[in-house]
Amino acid sequence: MSVPAAPRAGGEARDPGLQPERTALAWRRTLLALMVLDVLVVRAWFLALGRAGEGSSAHAVGLGVCVAAAAVSTAVLALCAHARSRELHHGTTAPPASVLRWATAGAVMLAGATIAVVIIER
């Protein structure tokens, strides 16, 4: 599918080349890395659940909250990546501010959940 050239300020068309495809791939790579991070958070939670009989049930509950936050933030980022990929395939070059805000909020929430897991596991 060919992406139409976006007009520049001077009225001439800009050749986007492979930029939309590279941007879509970057969103997918980022999402894959975040899913790996989710797996590590879930792994820490399962290990804490296994130790819950040894008196560390508060850790398991705290890690459960971190797992929920990580899952929600990854879902938000997946929706942002899907929306951005769809926009790129339709020829939109600039992402809407709402997609960037939601993506930033999801990344900050996932970072917070990951930091909380590290603190809880100490």
Side-chain angles (χ1 to χ4, degrees):
M1 170 185 248
S2 176
V3 176
R8 286 187 174 178
E12 63 194 51
R14 181 183 73 85
D15 180 19
L18 295 176
Q19 183 61 41
E21 289 82 6
R22 284 194 306 266
T23 302
L25 287 172
W27 276 92
R28 289 184 189 130
R29 273 193 317 267
T30 301
L31 190 58
L32 180 64
L34 296 176
M35 287 180 184
V36 168
L37 188 59
D38 280 345
V39 168
L40 294 174
V41 170
V42 170
R43 180 181 175 271
W45 182 48
F46 281 139
L47 291 175
L49 286 175
R51 294 187 309 254
E54 302 168 6
S56 62
S57 61
H59 286 107
V61 172
L63 289 174
V65 171
C66 292
V67 166
V72 168
S73 62
T74 301
V76 166
L77 287 165
L79 289 173
C80 290
H82 176 69
R84 185 64 182 133
S85 293
R86 191 179 68 234
E87 291 165 358
L88 286 169
H89 288 296
H90 289 18
T92 305
T93 55
S98 62
V99 170
L100 296 177
R101 281 189 209 112
W102 279 105
T104 301
V108 168
M109 191 161 122
L110 185 57
T114 305
I115 291 169
V117 167
V118 171
I119 290 171
I120 289 171
E121 283 295 306
R122 278 191 170 192

